[in-house]
């Protein structure tokens, strides 16, 4: 079995069947990561280039481990140390990398749509590792994988995404996938962080977090991107935290077996209190573990599909 | 078939359409570069060349109030030669060029340079628009008397809206001395800050920074109030929102001296064209929602909008092959304007006469140009159009240097077959 596509650009492109295939494939790769010798020869002789135009430790490391556990060669290419600072265009940079016979380019880029530019022009498979506020498909896939492990079914699941929806690629990718899979998706945050027409994507909008949490099976907290604030979307971190921070008291408004997720890195005491982050409800570290398996599955399935 | 100014040409049996004046099969005689006669069965003497226009429309040459010729300064994108060749191919015989050149056209010397070039290399009439403020910085007024004397027909800071209300007021007041229309690109730069696409569902899905309709609307509102206060001529560039049309309509009923234009892309495309991060669908104002498109069409119909303008904005291919955020705004428009405008006739929105008016006398009146007419005695600026010819837009065939159009591959009906400026043929299909 394989994905009949060269690239993974976003969850919006994937069918339910493709999503299920990736999740099933990740099951067996998760088993590999649990072994003493965490390596299979699947991508031996293949080259994966992590092309990162934004700082990232977690996602890059996860892709690097995934590629290495598949026996691929991995190069990490960080934009700040590259010819990009000399004014080279994205496409020229990527074409040069491809000229060195890269089979996969894993791209993290601040501009929405950047991976599509490479996908259209290059022979290499392009995996979107986050493009601006657009998509972060492997994050959504690892979230789905984690949900599937803990909750079995997506249908009927009530899930709340909390925070800066407007600037979150994690929110977009998850909304796209979860609505497709039949979950009830709610988004909660101040109107300054809520993009217009978001309800047309099939989600319910809440400005009051307490109301949004009632009956929730899953709470997905988004990182408050403090570094991204231009004209402030809220008056102070203190006030944001008081109105939209996830505390043990708020957690009790949700279902008893609620799961708390977070794409990381977390701001302890800002969007999530330490008690909640470290509680039994939290699956934040499971998400990280599953990320490697999901990325192995994606690289494998794209490789098989070519 | 080409004539020198001294020769005569008889265009026979065409459907002569000059909105409000004539719309019937007739002959048109050009003599000494002027329209000498229009009527049935004009005699063809031996010294007259004859063009059989049976089945064709004979129209006043089109007038475009909003063109970027890029020269001086950006000759790799377009020159006065290639830009006017594109105009001729689109049936335009008079085009007004925006001052956002390098240097900015805020002086007699740049205006004269443009006019000199147009005279030596240009194929159609070029009317420069001078800058509202020096270097289009939005601070000090340019010297309008000098600009007008040199040949400018209006003032505008083009894509740079005059953000300071008092500067705009003074510009309107001062321009009144010279009867120069003040042309503003209505956009509150605070509200649109960082925006690259219409703030709507598509931008939300794609994670693109939005430019709300309100950014245009608040500036339209301000400008209309200032036009009323000063009694000066205001012209609003490329209206794109339902709100703009509503306010302009209301202002016109109160007698405010305002004219407005709309671009083909704003009445033919919605924000949906941006999907797949198509940089050839990136322009400013951005492609808006369906309801805005409907409003623009209604405003074309009821006279709220006076002119169809192209906002012809050529860019090099590599400039558009970039991340959506970083690609420049704008598309070329001169060579597709007629076909796109006529699709409003196909769709039953406008009559043929209404489309022709919006391309000819509508814009000419807005800037007070003696163009866009087939009246006897006028310069013989004429577009001959095959109304049933179907053609596929192929950007590689453009006379313009620009290839940046979202209409590549579109099948259009209605094609310019010949264009005359002052009786001289400047284009033939």
């Amino acid at each position: 079995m394989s994905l009949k596509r060269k690239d993974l650009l976003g969850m919006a492109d994937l069918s339910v069947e493709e999503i299920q295939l990736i999740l099933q494939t990740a099951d067996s790769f998760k088993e590999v990561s649990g072994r003493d010798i965490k390596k299979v020869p699947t991508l031996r002789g293949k080259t994966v280039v992590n092309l990162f135009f934004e700082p990232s430790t977690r996602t890059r490391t996860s892709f690097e481990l995934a590629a290495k556990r598949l026996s691929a060669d991995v190069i990490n290419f960080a934009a700040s140390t590259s010819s990009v600072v000399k004014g080279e265009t994205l496409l020229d940079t990527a074409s040069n990398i491809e000229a060195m016979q890269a089979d996969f380019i894993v791209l993290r880029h601040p501009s929405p749509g950047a991976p599509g530019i490479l996908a259209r022009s290059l022979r290499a498979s392009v995996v979107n590792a986050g493009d601006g506020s657009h998509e972060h498909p492997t994050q959504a896939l690892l979230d789905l994988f984690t949900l599937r492990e803990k909750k079995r079914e997506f249908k009927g699941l009530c899930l709340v995404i909390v925070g800066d929806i407007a600037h979150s690629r994690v929110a977009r990718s998850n909304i796209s996938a979860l609505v497709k899979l039949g979950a009830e998706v709610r988004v909660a945050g101040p109107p300054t962080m809520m993009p217009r027409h978001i309800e047309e994507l099939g989600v319910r909008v809440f400005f009051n977090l307490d109301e949004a949490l009632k009956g929730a099976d899953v709470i997905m907290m988004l990182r408050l991107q403090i570094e991204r604030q231009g004209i402030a979307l809220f008056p102070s971190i203190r006030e944001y935290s008081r109105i939209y921070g996830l505390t043990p008291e708020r957690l009790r408004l949700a279902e008893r077996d609620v799961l708390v997720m977070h794409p990381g890195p977390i701001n302890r005491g800002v969007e999530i209190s330490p008690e909640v982050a470290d509680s039994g409800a939290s699956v934040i570290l499971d998400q990280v573990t599953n990320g490697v398996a999901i990325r192995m599955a994606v690289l494998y399935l794209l490789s098989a599909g070519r | 078939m080409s004539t020198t100014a001294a020769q005569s040409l008889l265009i026979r049996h065409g459907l002569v359409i000059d909105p409000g004046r004539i719309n019937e099969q007739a002959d048109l005689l050009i003599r000494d570069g002027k329209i000498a006669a229009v009527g049935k069965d004009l005699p063809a003497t031996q010294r007259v060349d004859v063009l059989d226009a049976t089945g064709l429309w004979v129209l006043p040459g089109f007038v475009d109030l909003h063109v970027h010729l890029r020269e001086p300064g950006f000759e790799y994108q377009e020159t006065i030669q290639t830009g006017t060749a594109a105009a001729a191919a689109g049936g335009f015989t008079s085009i007004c060029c925006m001052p956002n050149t390098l240097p900015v056209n805020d002086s007699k010397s740049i205006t004269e340079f443009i006019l000199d070039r147009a005279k030596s290399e240009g194929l159609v009439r070029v009317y420069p628009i001078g800058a509202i403020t020096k270097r289009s910085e939005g601070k000090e007024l340019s010297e309008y008397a000098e600009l007008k004397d040199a040949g400018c027909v209006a003032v505008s800071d083009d894509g740079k809206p005059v953000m300071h209300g008092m500067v705009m007021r003074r510009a309107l007041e001062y321009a009144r001395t010279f009867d120069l229309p003040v042309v503003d690109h209505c956009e509150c730069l605070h509200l649109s800050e960082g925006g690259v696409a219409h703030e709507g569902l598509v931008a939300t899905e794609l994670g693109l920074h939005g430019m709300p309709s309100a950014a245009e609307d608040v500036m339209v509102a301000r400008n209309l109030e200032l036009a009323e206060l000063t009694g000066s001529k205001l012209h609003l560039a490329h209206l794109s929102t339902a709100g703009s049309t509503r306010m302009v309509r209301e202002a016109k009923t109160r007698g405010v001296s305002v004219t407005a234009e709309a671009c083909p892309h704003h009445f033919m495309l919605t924000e949906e064209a941006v999907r797949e991060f198509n940089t050839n669908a990136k322009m400013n104002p951005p492609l808006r929602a369906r309801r805005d498109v409907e409003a623009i069409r209604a405003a074309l119909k009821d006279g709220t909008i006076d002119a169809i303008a192209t906002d012809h904005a050529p860019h090099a291919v590599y400039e558009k092959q970039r991340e959506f955020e970083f690609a420049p705004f704008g598309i070329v428009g001169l060579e597709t304007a007629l076909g796109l405008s006529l699709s409003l006739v196909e769709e039953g929105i406008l009559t043929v006469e209404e489309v022709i008016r919006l391309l000819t006398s509508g814009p000419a009146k807005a800037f007070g140009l003696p163009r866009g007419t087939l009246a006897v005695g006028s310069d013989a600026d004429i577009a001959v159009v095959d109304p049933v010819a179907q053609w596929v837009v192929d950007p590689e065939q453009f006379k313009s240097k620009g290839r940046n159009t979202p209409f590549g591959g579109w099948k259009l009906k209605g094609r310019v077959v010949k264009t005359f400026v002052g009786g001289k043929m400047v284009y033939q299909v």
Side-chain angles (χ1 to χ4, degrees):
Chain A
M1 278 190 296
S2 67
L3 284 172
K4 305 255 182 304
R5 54 175 71 242
K6 177 172 87 72
D7 314 291
L8 177 63
L9 301 180
M11 298 307 290
D13 309 329
L14 294 184
S15 66
V16 169
E17 293 69 32
E18 287 176 299
I19 294 170
Q20 297 290 7
L21 173 62
I22 296 169
L23 299 181
Q24 284 156 19
T25 309
D27 283 331
S28 47
F29 285 122
K30 183 164 186 185
E31 184 267 320
V32 171
S33 291
R35 292 181 199 166
D36 196 23
I37 296 172
K38 303 175 184 58
K39 205 159 184 134
V40 289
T42 316
L43 293 186
R44 200 168 63 188
K46 302 283 183 190
T47 305
V48 176
V49 177
N50 284 327
L51 178 54
F52 275 57
F53 289 80
E54 270 183 351
S56 157
T57 310
R58 183 180 332 253
T59 305
R60 188 184 53 68
T61 306
S62 183
F63 269 106
E64 187 172 353
L65 275 175
K68 284 181 166 165
R69 286 180 187 169
L70 293 168
S71 303
D73 296 312
V74 188
I75 299 295
N76 290 314
F77 185 111
S80 56
T81 61
S82 78
S83 51
V84 172
V85 294
K86 298 173 191 162
E88 191 175 49
T89 67
L90 170 64
L91 190 53
D92 282 331
T93 301
S95 300
N96 276 275
I97 291 168
E98 183 175 65
M100 299 177 215
Q101 312 301 329
D103 299 287
F104 293 91
I105 293 180
V106 177
L107 180 69
R108 160 69 60 93
H109 197 282
S111 285
I117 299 176
L118 301 194
R120 280 191 293 276
S121 306
L122 303 183
R123 289 183 311 281
S125 283
V126 177
V127 180
N128 181 2
D131 59 335
S133 306
H134 181 220
E135 284 243 32
H136 192 354
T138 57
Q139 177 69 45
L141 286 164
L142 71 88
D143 291 341
L144 296 177
F145 188 86
T146 308
L147 281 176
R148 179 166 155 278
E149 274 186 339
K150 309 285 177 188
K151 297 283 185 188
R152 306 279 161 215
E153 274 284 323
F154 296 111
K155 260 197 188 64
L157 211 58
C158 175
L159 185 139
V160 191
I161 306 176
V162 185
D164 187 355
I165 308 296
H167 297 101
S168 174
R169 52 194 172 215
V170 175
R172 277 180 185 71
S173 286
N174 268 302
I175 289 168
S176 176
L178 287 159
V179 169
K180 241 182 280 203
L181 291 164
E184 178 197 337
V185 182
R186 301 173 178 179
V187 290
T192 51
M193 295 179 170
M194 206 55 78
R196 284 159 54 78
H197 304 285
I198 187 81
E199 64 286 349
E200 290 177 43
L201 300 182
V203 302
R204 281 180 68 192
V205 176
F206 290 79
F207 301 137
N208 181 313
L209 180 58
D210 292 358
E211 279 176 29
L213 293 179
K214 282 173 195 154
D217 299 305
V218 183
I219 306 166
M220 192 177 278
M221 300 304 293
L222 298 175
R223 172 183 164 74
L224 185 68
Q225 300 205 310
I226 298 162
E227 69 277 8
R228 190 171 273 169
Q229 307 303 326
I231 288 182
L233 301 176
F234 55 90
S236 67
I237 289 173
R238 175 172 164 271
E239 178 148 303
Y240 179 85
S241 179
R242 195 167 72 79
I243 307 296
Y244 292 104
L246 189 60
T247 57
E249 297 73 44
R250 287 217 165 95
L251 200 58
R252 281 195 282 276
L253 297 170
E255 292 295 308
R256 285 171 58 118
D257 58 349
V258 67
L259 297 182
V260 175
M261 306 178 87
H262 193 301
I266 64 174
N267 296 308
R268 277 178 187 266
V270 180
E271 73 267 2
I272 189 164
S273 75
E275 299 91 315
V276 173
D278 300 331
S279 72
S282 166
V283 293
I284 297 172
L285 294 177
D286 298 83
Q287 290 172 271
V288 178
T289 303
N290 292 336
V292 178
I294 278 292
R295 287 165 181 132
M296 289 172 79
V298 166
L299 292 173
Y300 163 70
L301 289 169
L302 291 178
S303 162
R306 279 155 65 85
Chain B
M1 202 60 62
S2 79
T3 66
T4 65
Q7 285 177 319
S8 299
L9 173 68
L10 183 63
I11 303 175
R12 291 176 101 171
H13 307 317
L15 180 62
V16 179
I17 310 175
D18 187 359
R21 303 172 50 85
I22 181 172
N23 186 351
E24 61 184 30
Q25 201 179 49
D27 301 345
L28 183 148
L29 179 67
I30 301 171
R31 188 185 296 137
D32 300 334
K34 306 268 186 194
I35 294 171
V38 180
K40 295 254 184 215
D41 305 320
L42 296 181
T45 61
Q46 281 183 334
R47 298 188 6 270
V48 170
D49 289 331
V50 174
L51 168 65
D52 181 6
T54 305
L56 304 177
W57 293 346
V58 179
L59 312 173
F62 309 149
V63 179
D64 193 344
L65 300 180
H66 199 143
V67 172
H68 301 269
L69 288 175
R70 305 299 193 205
E71 186 178 0
F74 306 98
E75 292 82 358
Y76 68 99
Q77 295 174 334
E78 193 83 289
T79 62
I80 288 168
Q81 196 276 321
T82 59
T84 56
F92 290 91
T93 53
S94 295
I95 59 178
C96 303
C97 61
M98 281 294 180
N100 66 331
T101 45
L102 188 67
V104 167
N105 183 12
D106 58 3
S107 68
K108 181 180 169 195
S109 57
I110 302 297
T111 302
E112 285 177 347
F113 168 84
I114 292 167
L115 289 171
D116 282 350
R117 280 287 172 149
K119 198 171 177 189
S120 62
E121 297 175 16
L123 292 174
V124 306
R125 298 180 201 278
V126 173
Y127 292 97
I129 297 171
I132 295 175
T133 60
K134 287 176 185 156
R135 294 172 298 279
S136 288
E137 285 173 348
K139 292 175 188 156
E140 299 169 64
L141 300 187
S142 320
E143 294 172 327
Y144 296 173
E146 182 175 283
L147 288 169
K148 169 121 185 179
D149 288 346
C152 285
V153 295
V155 289
S156 176
D157 277 349
D158 185 55
K160 294 184 171 176
V162 180
M163 283 295 289
H164 197 298
M166 187 55 106
V167 174
M168 189 62 178
R169 175 189 175 157
R170 293 291 180 237
L172 282 160
E173 284 174 333
Y174 189 59
R176 199 174 169 186
T177 322
F178 313 102
D179 203 27
L180 283 170
V182 177
V183 184
D184 201 30
H185 164 120
C186 300
E187 176 188 357
C188 170
L189 296 175
H190 301 307
L191 287 172
S192 65
E193 189 177 3
V196 294
H198 171 64
E199 186 178 318
L201 178 63
V202 175
T204 287
E205 284 189 56
L206 298 185
L208 294 171
H209 286 284
M211 310 168 84
S213 296
E216 177 169 321
D217 298 348
V218 298
M219 288 298 260
V220 167
R222 181 203 71 175
N223 288 339
L224 289 171
E225 292 303 320
L226 291 177
E228 188 165 21
L229 175 69
T230 59
S232 306
K233 273 192 189 171
L234 171 71
H235 178 77
L236 301 178
H238 43 48
L239 296 190
S240 73
T241 68
S244 292
T245 61
R246 188 183 68 237
M247 288 183 277
V248 172
R249 182 176 295 117
E250 188 272 340
K252 280 190 165 185
T253 60
R254 280 189 297 115
V256 178
S257 171
V258 59
T259 52
E261 69 190 34
C263 305
H265 43 274
H266 287 129
F267 58 75
M268 292 305 293
L269 295 173
T270 68
E271 57 182 332
E272 289 294 324
V274 171
R275 284 197 192 277
E276 314 299 320
F277 298 96
N278 180 4
T279 56
N280 281 332
K282 180 180 176 183
M283 58 283 278
N284 188 5
L287 298 174
R288 304 264 185 206
R290 172 54 58 189
R291 63 182 284 270
D292 297 301
V293 171
E294 299 302 336
I296 297 294
R297 291 171 166 211
L300 288 165
K301 180 76 184 173
D302 73 6
T304 299
I305 291 171
D306 303 85
I308 292 172
T310 65
D311 195 5
H312 179 82
H315 291 288
V317 170
Y318 67 85
E319 292 175 306
K320 281 287 195 179
Q321 272 177 350
R322 294 215 55 189
E323 297 90 321
F324 192 89
E325 271 185 305
F326 303 138
F329 290 106
I331 62 168
V332 291
L334 286 166
E335 293 169 79
T336 49
L338 175 69
L340 292 169
S341 301
L342 286 175
S343 40
L344 294 183
V345 177
E346 291 289 305
E347 291 187 47
I349 311 285
L350 298 182
T351 65
V352 170
E353 269 205 40
E354 285 165 340
V355 168
I356 305 307
R357 187 196 305 274
L358 286 159
L359 286 167
T360 57
S361 57
K365 275 186 197 144
F367 281 11
L369 306 175
R371 303 291 161 210
T373 173
L374 296 178
V376 170
S378 342
D379 288 321
D381 293 0
I382 293 166
V384 180
V385 167
D386 181 343
V388 294
Q390 302 234 8
W391 60 289
V392 175
V393 178
D394 176 6
E396 293 306 315
Q397 303 300 319
F398 284 163
K399 305 285 184 198
S400 168
K401 284 191 182 182
R403 300 288 176 262
N404 47 312
T405 175
F407 299 110
W410 278 43
K411 191 185 261 187
L412 298 179
K413 192 171 155 195
R415 184 161 213 188
V416 176
V417 293
K418 284 184 172 58
T419 305
F420 297 88
V421 174
K424 183 171 176 251
M425 190 166 74
V426 293
Y427 173 77
Q428 165 161 240
V429 73

